[in-house]
Amino acid sequence: MKRPFLEKSTTKYQQSCMYKFVYYKEIKSILLFGLLMFVYSHSFAQTKNESYVLKLTNFINDTTLNYTDRNYYSEQLKYYEFKLYSVESKNNLLNNIKNIQICQNGCILEIGALNIISSKKILQAIIDSNLVEYKDAALIALSRMGEKKAINMFFSKLNKMHPEAAFRQYYKEIEYIKQPECINFFVKLLDSNALNEMPKETMKPTKLAADAVRCLSRVIFNFPVKYFYDNDEDYAIKQAKKWWIKNKNTYKINRNVY
Amino acid sequence: MVNASPKKGIQWKSLRNDGTFDKLKIEITPNGAEKAVYLTLLDSINYDVRPKVLSSNAQNIEVKANQAGETSLIPKIGYFINDTIQIKIISKALVNNIARIVIVNESNDDVQVVPYGNTTRSDTTIVISSGNNKFLDSRMGIDIGGDDSVIYRTWAKDSVVIAGKNKICESHAYQTNIVTTSISITQLRNTLNKYYSQGLYHWNIDPIVITKTINFDFNRDGMIDVSSWNNPETKAIYDSCIIDNTKVNFIVVDNPNDGSNGMSVFPIINPNKICFLHPNISPNVYMTATHEIGHGIFSLKHPFNEFIGFPKGGKDIYNIMNYGNYRNKFRKYQWDNIK
């Protein structure tokens, strides 16, 4: 391979340094992702702090990385506690969604979860645009931020479907939005008798209502049923219904988690 | 279950949308017909094919895409386009993910307090205690014999074996861990990537294999209870091993109580992205991993559960989500879920 900037006048030491630099550049694209993965898996996961989250948000906007890598990092954002997002990290997220060339759905959703008010106009612009790839994420991010118009749009789509089918398809999004409409949606499913299909024939099908209980337990503060065995799901559903009757006017949604 | 089956006859090729050329082997029949064929693309602005004129009836060509979307590769003969032999092309960005391997051994660490056959001072003398895991692993009728019996000590919150009326220790402490068969990171990565690359998905495997020796065999049958997803035995494993749900977790544990190769459930019940593998049972644990991750991460179903008229292990025998020895393909309808 041609190395045009290596001049004859340079010393052997300088040349070797330059060769190292060139070599580094050549293998950069191959090694960089592996290196970042290594850094991520060996330090980020163990030492979750502000500076690592900042690095992560920097990677997402780093155009020297390819789409695949940036997409991977954007998908990791949800695993970090909100308190680890500094002002700079939040600005990085905003910069990401402002630039459609590097925009990632993971960033849009994290912005919604962090409730960054200044992003509302940008998200609305995405919804109103023809950027099909980002529209759904922008809609549910705005719903998470409590925008009634967005919530109505999302639930009007859901209400056209059979509730059980809607739950199976959109349970993650409903859980993410964390609005009273979501709680009502889950609570209605506590009366469902639908069974989950199990991939293994020897497994007894579990009840869809039990999944609704699990969703409620993740969304509501101090929900009484946390973890239960498959054999105890009827009891868990009963407990959840009982709790709801007593607490339907006083429950609090936990928006401190993604 | 839908009353439909995958459409036959449409061949699909998946491509990365980053402009890199990918190989595709094509065959033109009958021999010599290739001289009249000119390859063209429905969208020739965002896609490219080379060479456009073929030199033999079976050869590798290259195609590339510069954006995400779908198009068709059309073999043109003069002005005639035979649309029944088009190859459909789908292009999208490659997606990366990381999985990790957690090997789980069953801990059996009871302590022989009184040697086997020795006489004890009293009939309530402890002959076997429960060891570090605070669980009496010794099995009644197998390790615990004669008139030795088990009592629960409320103050210590553990169970112990006592000598019984004859004041003789007739039990052996069960102190042999059940060690799970190991699996290879490289083979797992290669196998996953071999098949998931069809759906433009790339797997990295965490180089650190986590090995946990824990007590999960609460019914002392020497097996892991996989008859349900959430039960005391699987929970013991989840509690000890799920420390990082940013990755897909392959829980490797031998001796399932139903003789299955592996287990996973759909993401709605599986928020921690877990797939069980049982390498001592599975004839090809890496293919099992490919199959199980299809259920647990991408919600892929067995074709025989998804389509009416598909017998188990039959009809679409090459489908990875089927059963059998010929599996090597994900179908296009499955690629759409691999994202």
Side-chain angles (χ1 to χ4, degrees):
Chain A
M1 183 172 281
K2 257 188 172 180
R3 296 186 174 91
F5 56 86
L6 282 185
E7 290 172 16
K8 283 177 186 174
S9 59
T10 53
T11 64
K12 273 189 179 175
Y13 174 73
Q14 281 172 325
Q15 279 193 5
S16 74
C17 290
M18 282 179 171
Y19 272 118
K20 274 178 193 168
F21 177 67
V22 172
Y23 178 68
Y24 169 73
K25 278 196 85 172
E26 283 166 3
I27 61 167
K28 186 183 162 193
S29 59
I30 306 160
L31 282 184
L32 194 57
F33 184 69
L35 183 70
L36 294 176
M37 284 285 184
F38 183 82
V39 169
Y40 173 76
S41 59
H42 291 88
S43 55
F44 282 19
Q46 278 94 41
T47 57
K48 289 179 178 178
N49 63 33
E50 271 189 31
S51 63
Y52 285 117
V53 172
L54 181 61
K55 276 183 191 173
L56 203 59
T57 57
N58 281 330
F59 290 152
I60 290 158
N61 291 344
D62 184 350
T63 47
T64 62
L65 297 176
N66 62 28
Y67 171 88
T68 304
D69 300 347
R70 284 185 284 114
N71 176 55
Y72 175 79
Y73 292 120
S74 78
E75 291 299 321
Q76 300 304 308
L77 292 170
K78 60 185 166 207
Y79 299 116
Y80 295 89
E81 289 176 40
F82 294 167
K83 65 180 182 193
L84 300 177
Y85 285 85
S86 62
V87 176
E88 210 177 332
S89 304
K90 287 177 183 174
N91 284 338
N92 279 344
L93 296 179
L94 279 173
N95 290 338
N96 180 275
I97 67 163
K98 278 179 194 165
N99 183 353
I100 218 62
Q101 301 298 321
I102 55 169
C103 183
Q104 298 283 344
N105 280 333
C107 283
I108 294 175
L109 295 175
E110 193 57 43
I111 280 172
L114 291 166
N115 198 16
I116 304 175
I117 305 294
S118 56
S119 69
K120 281 188 178 180
K121 276 187 181 169
I122 309 166
L123 294 174
Q124 189 58 52
I126 293 174
I127 295 171
D128 297 337
S129 72
N130 58 354
L131 300 164
V132 186
E133 210 180 328
Y134 309 112
K135 277 175 122 168
D136 286 352
L139 181 73
I140 65 163
L142 272 182
S143 305
R144 167 76 182 248
M145 292 159 96
E147 282 292 303
K148 282 289 160 205
K149 196 179 147 195
I151 296 170
N152 292 341
M153 264 173 87
F154 180 77
F155 277 95
S156 68
K157 185 166 84 174
L158 249 63
N159 292 337
K160 285 175 194 156
M161 299 171 73
H162 195 280
E164 283 143 7
F167 176 70
R168 285 195 175 108
Q169 196 172 339
Y170 293 109
Y171 72 97
K172 270 187 195 165
E173 287 82 355
I174 305 167
E175 202 180 311
Y176 163 87
I177 289 171
K178 293 184 175 56
Q179 294 295 335
E181 288 85 348
C182 309
I183 307 296
N184 294 338
F185 185 87
F186 289 141
V187 168
K188 274 182 198 164
L189 288 167
L190 294 178
D191 292 320
S192 166
N193 289 320
L195 296 175
N196 288 318
E197 196 182 301
M198 306 306 278
K200 198 157 76 165
E201 301 80 49
T202 51
M203 277 172 131
K204 189 185 153 200
T206 54
K207 285 188 174 163
L208 184 130
D211 298 334
V213 175
R214 289 190 174 100
C215 289
L216 285 168
S217 76
R218 291 192 287 261
V219 177
I220 295 178
F221 268 122
N222 301 324
F223 194 74
V225 190
K226 287 289 175 201
Y227 183 92
F228 51 91
Y229 301 136
D230 291 345
N231 288 340
D232 300 332
E233 60 182 16
D234 285 336
Y235 180 72
I237 296 164
K238 208 172 150 187
Q239 286 293 101
K241 283 183 186 174
K242 227 173 164 181
W243 182 88
W244 175 250
I245 291 166
K246 275 187 187 170
N247 298 280
K248 62 181 167 190
N249 297 319
T250 53
Y251 72 87
K252 279 185 181 167
I253 298 174
N254 181 7
R255 294 199 183 90
N256 300 333
V257 288
Y258 181 84
Chain B
M1 188 180 275
V2 289
N3 192 5
S5 57
K7 281 180 187 170
K8 276 185 177 177
I10 300 173
Q11 295 193 61
W12 284 88
K13 165 77 183 161
S14 57
L15 278 184
R16 288 173 69 159
N17 65 347
D18 59 2
T20 50
F21 275 100
D22 198 359
K23 283 191 170 60
L24 173 66
K25 191 176 180 184
I26 61 166
E27 285 181 33
I28 306 282
T29 52
N31 247 345
E34 72 276 1
K35 286 170 192 161
V37 172
Y38 179 80
L39 295 176
T40 180
L41 287 153
L42 198 62
D43 174 358
S44 56
I45 296 170
N46 295 303
Y47 296 83
D48 193 12
V49 58
R50 69 184 186 195
K52 291 181 173 62
V53 179
L54 300 172
S55 51
S56 73
N57 70 322
Q59 77 174 82
N60 280 324
I61 59 164
E62 289 185 315
V63 274
K64 78 166 183 181
N66 294 319
Q67 70 163 35
E70 289 182 14
T71 192
S72 301
L73 176 66
I74 305 163
K76 219 172 162 186
I77 304 166
Y79 290 108
F80 176 69
I81 296 170
N82 184 350
D83 62 2
T84 60
I85 54 166
Q86 291 178 10
I87 294 167
K88 289 276 192 184
I89 290 174
I90 180 169
S91 57
K92 55 180 184 170
L94 184 76
V95 178
N96 265 315
N97 206 342
I98 299 185
R100 65 176 187 146
I101 299 171
V102 183
I103 292 180
V104 179
N105 303 320
E106 159 64 11
S107 152
N108 295 310
D109 66 346
D110 287 358
V111 178
Q112 189 86 39
V113 181
V114 175
Y116 184 82
N118 280 19
T119 309
T120 60
R121 281 188 179 182
S122 114
D123 57 351
T124 55
T125 302
I126 296 169
V127 293
I128 293 173
S129 68
S130 59
N132 282 336
N133 66 17
K134 290 278 173 192
F135 181 84
L136 191 72
D137 300 297
S138 302
R139 298 151 294 180
M140 198 55 106
I142 301 172
D143 310 300
I144 304 167
D147 72 343
D148 291 1
S149 59
V150 177
I151 59 158
Y152 180 71
R153 301 187 300 177
T154 43
W155 61 272
K157 291 181 180 171
D158 68 356
S159 295
V160 290
V161 180
I162 55 170
K165 278 182 185 169
N166 64 7
K167 297 182 188 174
I168 297 168
C169 172
E170 293 160 301
S171 305
H172 294 285
Y174 188 28
Q175 22 186 232
T176 313
N177 292 339
I178 300 177
V179 180
T180 288
T181 314
S182 194
I183 68 170
S184 152
I185 293 176
T186 314
Q187 270 183 276
L188 180 63
R189 186 182 53 234
N190 292 348
T191 310
L192 290 179
N193 286 330
K194 180 179 174 187
Y195 299 117
Y196 278 97
S197 62
Q198 297 170 16
L200 295 165
Y201 206 93
H202 183 80
W203 287 100
N204 293 288
I205 309 293
D206 193 322
I208 298 170
V209 174
I210 297 161
T211 304
K212 297 262 181 183
T213 302
I214 59 165
N215 185 58
F216 61 79
D217 186 16
F218 299 129
N219 60 4
R220 300 180 185 84
D221 64 354
M223 293 184 269
I224 170 78
D225 181 4
V226 285
S227 59
S228 61
W229 186 249
N230 292 303
N231 62 55
E233 296 196 1
T234 54
K235 184 176 186 293
I237 291 178
Y238 304 151
D239 289 348
S240 323
C241 305
I242 308 309
I243 48 168
D244 185 0
N245 66 358
T246 62
K247 297 170 190 163
V248 172
N249 299 278
F250 281 111
I251 306 285
V252 184
V253 55
D254 278 351
N255 306 321
N257 67 345
D258 65 352
S260 60
N261 297 337
M263 164 174 89
S264 192
V265 289
F266 300 127
I268 193 167
I269 330 175
N270 188 4
N272 288 325
K273 298 181 269 185
I274 296 165
C275 297
F276 280 88
L277 298 176
H278 312 304
N280 71 324
I281 303 283
S282 178
N284 182 350
V285 70
Y286 306 105
M287 178 50 87
T288 303
T290 311
H291 177 101
E292 294 305 335
I293 220 169
H295 293 312
I297 309 303
F298 304 113
S299 302
L300 302 182
K301 296 178 180 179
H302 298 131
F304 51 84
N305 289 137
E306 198 161 15
F307 304 111
I308 288 170
F310 268 67
K312 205 179 285 182
K315 215 155 184 174
D316 190 4
I317 57 170
Y318 301 112
N319 192 325
I320 286 167
M321 298 314 291
N322 206 340
Y323 292 160
N325 299 327
Y326 302 100
R327 298 174 292 174
N328 62 7
K329 281 182 177 67
F330 282 114
R331 301 295 181 182
K332 163 65 173 57
Y333 76 96
Q334 293 167 323
W335 296 355
D336 295 340
N337 285 334
I338 298 174
K339 55 189 177 189

